[in-house]
Amino acid sequence: MNTPANPAAFQPGDRVVCADGVARTVRGMATQRPQEPACVVTEDGVEWIAAHCRRANREDVAAARTVSAYAAALAQKNPDLNLPQRSAALADLDMALTYRDAAETDATARNTIAAAHSPAGRDLAGLATRRGTGADDPTPEGREEAALQKEACALFAVLSQDGHAHAFQRVQPFGAEHPVGWTYRTGYGANVRYGWITAHTGKRGATTVEHRWQAEEATAGAAVLAGTAVPSQEHCAAMTSAELRELVDRLRDRASRTLGVDPRHVLDQDVAAALQLLAAWHFAEVPRGFNPAAKEGCEDHDPSVTGLVVVPAANGHVTALWVENGRYVTPAGDPFRAQCRALREEFENAGWKVVPGTVRVVTAYRPTP
């Protein structure tokens, strides 16, 4: 146990969070002097009382992540501000995030924590409980309608500002009736990042993060803090439950699509490079499993897809297709010759090699140095 009577013994190379809240590397333990507490010497030559330092090695930071996620879930599970369990959970969450704010080495993780973290020492009595979804209407139908309104507003808020947002996932603590927020993915290839938004306040991360778990932690942390409820859009507030469900279904459908590529291929580096090269084109909104060869009237035909679509091919090749009304050929079965000719020219002008012999699509690859 790390106490003044039983201080921690740190090893050279350990990372520790010192009493001033700054993480430093340990040089070694100071020589023990009679009647003085054990001290640790850090990289800058300064001595710190060992009992006031917390180890911040990789396994310690991982343990703190577990604590913060667990405490956030507990706070959500106990919405009554008067319950001592909620106050304890909020205190544990505040302490864990304060520690991680100093101990985390990843800048994106620190930015995420800063977005979700209440200041250390914040008066817990001043934290208003997050009003549950549909709390002013105790009926299940009322709560469901309020949840649909919040989801519609959240999806609309993200998609209206980031057309590349996709792969939305709920953040829903154990036992919660409805999600407290959503995480989503944006970007292509190695540039993929993750964002988040809360259901109650509509709070969003100031920056995107590298991993989805970072966005999930930020959502859970931000959702338990006080804040003004996001106002429902006027057209949402006036809708019936059936109309709201239809609106949310449409937004979910849009949120599940990606621009210019099937959601399954977003991480493909060659596809990402091609999309960057062809950024001036109009990208189609592509659903998962899109089939551009499906005939009109068939079950897998999606007439809403119009624009450029890029799919990965073998050996680092990519295939670019111009699609209208869900098909890569005209109603008469002819190729879109003008668009294909323009695509070939763009690939060739950028130094890509275009595979000859294709008429309806354009297949190209980047030559290896």
Side-chain angles (χ1 to χ4, degrees):
M1 182 177 178
N2 184 12
T3 67
N6 185 24
F10 299 109
Q11 302 298 320
D14 279 344
R15 289 185 73 251
V16 294
V17 176
C18 300
D20 63 348
V22 177
R24 297 179 176 86
T25 303
V26 172
R27 183 185 296 179
M29 296 298 292
T31 302
Q32 182 71 55
R33 294 178 287 271
Q35 308 302 317
E36 293 186 9
C39 293
V40 61
V41 183
T42 54
E43 55 192 323
D44 50 8
V46 177
E47 291 188 10
W48 298 85
I49 297 175
H52 295 167
C53 297
R54 290 188 62 185
R55 201 183 313 273
N57 293 335
R58 181 179 299 177
E59 61 273 17
D60 305 296
V61 177
R65 291 172 182 163
T66 302
V67 170
S68 60
Y70 176 72
L74 280 182
Q76 286 292 340
K77 190 177 180 180
N78 298 288
D80 188 350
L81 185 62
N82 296 319
L83 285 177
Q85 294 93 330
R86 177 178 171 83
S87 296
L90 286 172
D92 287 338
L93 176 63
D94 197 65
M95 182 177 294
L97 291 179
T98 298
Y99 166 77
R100 288 183 56 204
D101 196 23
E104 289 278 7
T105 57
D106 186 1
T108 56
R110 291 198 299 271
N111 290 337
T112 303
I113 294 165
H117 184 199
S118 59
R122 184 173 182 171
D123 182 5
L124 291 178
L127 281 174
T129 180
R130 187 183 74 86
R131 190 181 69 163
T133 302
D136 54 346
D137 189 341
T139 65
E141 294 80 7
R143 294 195 297 272
E144 177 67 18
E145 186 172 315
L148 289 170
Q149 286 183 358
K150 292 183 187 302
E151 183 172 1
C153 290
L155 294 178
F156 181 81
V158 173
L159 293 172
S160 63
Q161 297 184 34
D162 185 355
H164 295 283
H166 61 280
F168 283 73
Q169 289 188 10
R170 292 182 167 202
V171 179
Q172 188 163 346
F174 177 77
E177 186 177 5
H178 299 290
V180 298
W182 295 265
T183 62
Y184 60 90
R185 188 168 62 192
T186 186
Y188 302 95
N191 295 322
V192 158
R193 307 282 289 181
Y194 294 89
W196 56 271
I197 185 169
T198 63
H200 181 64
T201 62
K203 179 177 176 60
R204 294 179 62 191
T207 59
T208 52
V209 294
E210 185 176 359
H211 304 288
R212 191 182 289 276
W213 65 262
Q214 294 170 326
E216 289 173 346
E217 284 196 350
T219 311
V224 300
L225 303 180
T228 304
V230 62
S232 299
Q233 300 288 339
E234 288 186 12
H235 63 277
C236 290
M239 285 182 171
T240 65
S241 295
E243 291 170 335
L244 271 172
R245 289 191 182 91
E246 183 178 355
L247 172 62
V248 171
D249 285 342
R250 290 177 180 175
L251 286 168
R252 286 173 179 170
D253 176 70
R254 171 59 189 88
S256 68
R257 298 172 182 246
T258 43
L259 295 178
V261 60
D262 188 305
R264 297 173 299 178
H265 306 141
V266 164
L267 301 180
D268 188 283
Q269 295 283 45
D270 297 307
V271 169
L275 291 172
Q276 183 176 4
L277 170 63
L278 303 171
W281 285 69
H282 169 73
F283 291 162
E285 296 177 359
V286 187
R288 179 178 291 271
F290 172 65
N291 179 12
K295 295 182 179 180
E296 292 185 21
C298 292
E299 185 177 352
D300 57 348
H301 176 240
D302 189 340
S304 67
V305 181
T306 293
L308 177 69
V309 178
V310 178
V311 298
N315 302 319
H317 292 48
V318 298
T319 298
L321 313 88
W322 180 257
V323 176
E324 290 187 11
N325 299 319
R327 304 201 69 212
Y328 72 126
V329 292
T330 67
D334 298 323
F336 293 104
R337 290 187 175 83
Q339 290 85 347
C340 288
R341 182 167 55 251
L343 286 169
R344 290 190 189 93
E345 291 177 356
E346 287 213 35
F347 277 122
E348 290 172 344
N349 291 340
W352 289 52
K353 297 294 184 181
V354 176
V355 177
T358 56
V359 178
R360 296 180 174 180
V361 300
V362 178
T363 300
Y365 64 95
R366 294 178 289 183
T368 55

